[in-house]
Amino acid sequence: MELLFASKYYTSYQSAKDRCYYIDFGHKTVKVSFCQLLSLRYKAKQLSTPEHIEYMLDHHDVTLLTFCDKEHLILLDTLQVLDFTELIQGTFAMMELRSVLTA
């Protein structure tokens, strides 16, 4: 596995052998396909909107992230949501950079 991006709390890896990606949440490592990674990018954009962050801060400070057909559930606080968003953005940036460098 090759390291793609590391944020404060999370790390993403790419496995050329398995043709998949791994996200390490610290307590759990999750294997995802590219389609699932795209879905996570969409969810990260939704979670990091100013309205959602404000709602989290005003009400309960946690959100539940479900992915991989609800096979995995991750509970995130506000800082972790922002860090997760950074991880997803960094992961896609590194994937794009690698594709440019290998072309």
Side-chain angles (χ1 to χ4, degrees):
M1 287 191 310
E2 294 180 37
L3 174 69
L4 279 176
F5 189 79
S7 63
K8 182 175 180 179
Y9 300 112
Y10 313 117
T11 310
S12 61
Y13 301 94
Q14 180 177 10
S15 175
K17 177 184 170 195
D18 297 334
R19 299 181 59 141
C20 64
Y21 301 89
Y22 292 91
I23 299 177
D24 183 2
F25 287 96
H27 64 284
K28 181 180 201 176
T29 301
V30 178
K31 179 180 176 181
V32 294
S33 68
F34 183 72
C35 291
Q36 292 167 332
L37 199 58
L38 285 173
S39 174
L40 284 176
R41 181 172 68 172
Y42 178 75
K43 288 181 182 186
K45 286 180 182 181
Q46 288 179 320
L47 292 175
S48 65
T49 62
E51 294 82 17
H52 185 78
I53 298 297
E54 184 177 334
Y55 178 81
M56 286 179 65
L57 292 172
D58 290 344
H59 291 90
H60 44 66
D61 193 42
V62 294
T63 192
L64 188 62
L65 175 66
T66 61
F67 59 99
C68 298
D69 296 328
K70 297 184 182 174
E71 182 180 339
H72 302 285
L73 301 171
I74 307 291
L75 189 64
L76 303 172
D77 65 22
T78 306
L79 293 176
Q80 291 171 327
V81 166
L82 296 173
D83 192 64
F84 177 71
T85 302
E86 179 185 340
L87 173 82
I88 296 297
Q89 289 173 347
T91 298
F92 276 92
M94 291 305 295
M95 290 168 41
E96 186 175 338
L97 183 61
R98 284 187 179 184
S99 70
V100 169
L101 293 175
T102 58

